[in-house]
């Protein structure tokens, strides 16, 4: 068939005659060769270009592959029919399926029918938690998954990309953390309880000391009264027996009946006073310990602070002078027991700090400023170092030796004042010693 073709003519015209014919044929061939050259060099250029693009593509593919391979989150890519197109090694290692076992399979190979319905191609799914099926027939830990539509270039027939992270371990860690937190809170509560017990101990020691005095003189008065009763019985018996007057008078003298009768009044008064003091102490105690925490009352905080100094002084038998610059009355709204505990803590700390001071003095001052009541408890101890000033209210912060302080006193005090809607601050006073300022809403 080739031989049947007419000879090549570049201009497509008829074949020229003689020498002209040869020259024009040669020119045509040169033209053909030039064109071929051009085509060839184009081809080479295209090939180089293609190779370059290919290398770029391979590089991009390698990059994406390495990113997908090193993802710790699981990745499942589905087509528009919900069939798995690609998974990453994280999913393979989580489920035990190989990549080839999963590719081409419906999503239900990994998800229950119910969960697979959630991840429909083209849908957006935010934080769906599910267990994946594993190759052994069981289920994996909970996986928190997100799904987003995967659009082809023409933006038709969307597939789906699912990314997820096993949260089982995280949950367990969180639960362990939660248990540890609860344990810590329990331990903290026990320590606070221990701190309360210590302050109750101080209170009981104070009460014991306070009660000792009236109880002992009530006891000795009653003892004397019982002796007087015996004497009076003897004397009355003599009267009833109608003993002769001189003998009766002698008995009256020897039994010191007149002096005894004079003594009766003061003895009964003294006993009564002792009983009243005991009643007062018990009343005080009841006020401190049996308060209804839900019921705020008007509290004279000046009185509470003064009382606290007395309690601490009595319980520890420490020598300390009180400079009382408080007004008679400073009313706040609150619960007396805990507020008393705050002042006991502050004064105990002040006394502890002043152990080596020759003339320890606790100064209480206070006043009403607008709608607030400000009270300052100051001592003339060494004060608080600049480093420690910011830490003294932290729980367990103490500079006292093991067994001497829990470091909870100021923290408990801070919490009590906060619960009363106030604040407490620590500072050093310019003329030495620590100064704790309490600000509470006025009652
Ligand atoms: N008046 C003060 N002068 C100097 N330092 C003080 C004074 N009050 C408190 N501090 C410092 O603050 C620390 C914390 O006091 P906090 O009352 O909280 O605990 P603690 O007294 O050490 O122990 P706890 O009160 O539990 O027995 C003390 O150890 C002490 O270093
Ligand atoms: Mg303390």
């Amino acid at each position: 068939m080739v031989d049947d073709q007419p000879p090549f003519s570049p201009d497509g015209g008829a074949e020229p005659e003689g020498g002209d014919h040869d020259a024009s044929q040669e020119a045509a061939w040169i033209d053909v060769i030039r064109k071929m050259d051009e085509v060839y060099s184009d081809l080479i250029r295209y090939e180089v270009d293609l190779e370059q693009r290919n290398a770029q593509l391979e590089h991009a593919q390698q990059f994406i592959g390495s990113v997908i391979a090193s993802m710790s989150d699981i990745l499942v890519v589905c087509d528009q029919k919900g069939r798995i197109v690609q998974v990453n090694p994280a999913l393979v290692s989580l489920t035990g399926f190989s990549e080839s076992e999963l590719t081409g399979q419906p999503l239900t190979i990994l998800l229950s029918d119910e969960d697979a319905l959630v991840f429909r191609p083209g849908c957006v799914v935010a934080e769906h938690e599910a267990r994946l099926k594993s190759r052994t027939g069981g289920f994996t830990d909970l996986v928190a998954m997100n799904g987003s539509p995967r659009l082809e270039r023409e933006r038709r027939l969307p597939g789906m990309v699912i990314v997820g992270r096993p949260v089982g371990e995280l949950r367990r860690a969180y639960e362990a953390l939660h248990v540890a937190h609860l344990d810590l809170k329990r331990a903290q509560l026990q320590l606070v309880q221990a701190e309360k017990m210590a302050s109750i101990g101080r209170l009981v020691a104070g009460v014991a000391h306070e009660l000792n005095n009236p109880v002992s003189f009530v006891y000795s008065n009653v003892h004397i009264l019982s002796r007087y009763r015996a004497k009076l019985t003897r004397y009355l018996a003599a009267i009833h027996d109608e003993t002769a007057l001189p003998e009766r008078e002698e008995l009256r003298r020897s039994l010191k009946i007149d002096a005894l009768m004079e003594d009766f009044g003061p003895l009964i008064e003294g006993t009564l006073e002792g009983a009243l003091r005991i009643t007062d102490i018990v009343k005080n105690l009841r006020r401190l310990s049996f308060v209804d925490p839900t019921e705020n009352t008007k509290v004279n905080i000046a009185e509470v602070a003064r009382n606290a100094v007395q309690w601490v002084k009595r319980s520890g038998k420490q020598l300390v002078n009180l400079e009382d610059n408080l007004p008679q009355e400073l009313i706040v709204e609150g619960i007396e027991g805990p507020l008393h505990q705050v002042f006991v803590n502050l004064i105990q700390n002040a006394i502890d700090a002043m152990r080596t001071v020759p003339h320890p003095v606790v100064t209480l001052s206070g006043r009403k400023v607008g709608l607030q009541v400000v009270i300052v408890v100051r001592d003339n101890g060494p004060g608080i170092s600049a480093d420690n000033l910011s830490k003294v209210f932290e729980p367990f912060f103490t500079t006292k030796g093991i067994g001497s302080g829990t470091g909870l006193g100021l923290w408990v005090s801070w919490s009590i004042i906060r619960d009363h809607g106030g604040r407490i601050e620590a500072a050093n006073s310019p003329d030495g010693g620590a100064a704790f300022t309490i600000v509470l809403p006025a009652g």
Side-chain angles (χ1 to χ4, degrees), residues 101-404:
E101 282 172 319
L102 293 171
T103 314
Q105 297 298 321
L107 204 50
T108 45
I109 190 172
L110 289 174
L111 294 176
S112 70
D113 293 351
E114 211 172 280
D115 291 325
L117 273 179
V118 176
F119 290 96
R120 282 193 314 275
C123 288
V124 174
V125 182
E127 283 298 301
H128 179 77
E129 285 188 5
R131 292 177 192 281
L132 298 183
K133 292 179 189 168
S134 69
R135 191 171 191 273
T136 52
F139 285 92
T140 66
D141 262 342
L142 262 188
V143 181
M145 290 178 283
N146 293 303
S148 40
R150 182 177 69 96
L151 296 176
E152 301 290 353
R153 197 176 281 181
E154 335 63 272
R155 307 199 145 259
R156 281 184 298 118
L157 301 173
M160 161 146 284
V161 178
I162 302 170
V163 183
R165 171 169 299 178
V167 287
E169 209 156 305
L170 209 67
R171 281 273 156 82
R172 277 192 292 279
Y174 176 77
E175 267 155 31
L177 199 72
H178 184 61
V179 169
H181 183 225
L182 285 183
D183 282 351
L184 201 71
K185 264 170 80 176
R186 222 181 346 260
Q188 209 175 39
L189 213 70
Q190 276 169 359
L191 274 159
V192 171
Q193 213 56 35
E195 170 72 18
K196 271 191 187 156
M197 293 308 286
S199 79
I200 288 174
R202 283 198 286 267
L203 201 73
V204 168
V207 173
H209 182 81
E210 183 83 338
L211 284 177
N212 212 17
N213 217 0
V215 164
S216 65
F217 72 71
V218 165
Y219 181 78
S220 81
N221 283 5
V222 171
H223 195 67
I224 296 169
L225 282 171
S226 118
R227 274 201 346 255
Y228 285 1
R229 178 181 160 273
K231 286 183 183 180
L232 276 177
T233 312
R234 263 180 73 192
Y235 185 60
L236 279 176
I239 294 172
H240 290 150
D241 293 348
E242 293 176 6
T243 311
L245 191 63
E247 264 179 64
R248 235 169 49 204
E249 283 303 299
E250 177 50 34
L251 196 62
R252 182 173 166 180
R253 251 192 318 278
S254 70
L255 290 176
K256 298 186 185 141
I257 294 297
D258 293 334
L260 175 155
M261 290 306 286
E262 262 175 43
D263 232 10
F264 252 120
L267 267 179
I268 289 172
E269 265 167 39
T271 310
L272 209 61
E273 196 188 309
L276 281 177
R277 269 180 70 181
I278 293 169
T279 315
D280 270 355
I281 294 164
V282 172
K283 220 190 283 170
N284 250 335
L285 255 185
R286 286 180 67 83
R287 224 177 47 213
L288 292 182
S289 31
F290 300 110
V291 279
D292 180 353
T294 58
E295 226 174 67
N296 274 11
T297 51
K298 301 253 179 231
V299 178
N300 181 1
I301 198 87
E303 197 58 38
V304 171
R306 262 186 225 113
N307 266 341
V309 178
Q310 297 313 323
W311 283 116
V312 179
K313 272 170 81 173
R314 269 182 232 124
S315 63
K317 299 190 184 75
Q318 287 111 326
L319 281 177
V320 59
N321 295 310
L322 169 66
E323 197 179 314
D324 184 352
N325 299 334
L326 286 168
Q328 254 333 90
E329 223 181 50
L330 263 183
I331 304 294
V332 297
E333 199 142 307
I335 308 168
E336 189 167 344
L339 288 173
H340 172 91
Q341 195 185 346
V342 170
F343 285 99
V344 167
N345 288 345
L346 292 183
I347 289 150
Q348 186 63 57
N349 279 348
I351 290 175
D352 288 346
M354 295 185 298
R355 277 195 200 287
T356 53
V357 172
H359 303 292
V361 182
V362 170
T363 309
L364 297 179
S365 47
R367 67 212 148 95
K368 194 170 169 216
V369 184
L371 294 173
Q372 292 178 321
V373 161
V374 181
I375 300 172
V376 183
V377 178
R378 222 173 60 215
D379 61 60
N380 61 347
I384 304 167
S385 74
D387 272 358
N388 291 348
L389 259 181
S390 58
K391 301 185 198 142
V392 289
F393 293 108
E394 284 174 13
F396 310 115
F397 175 79
T398 182
T399 54
K400 295 170 191 172
I402 295 166
S404 312

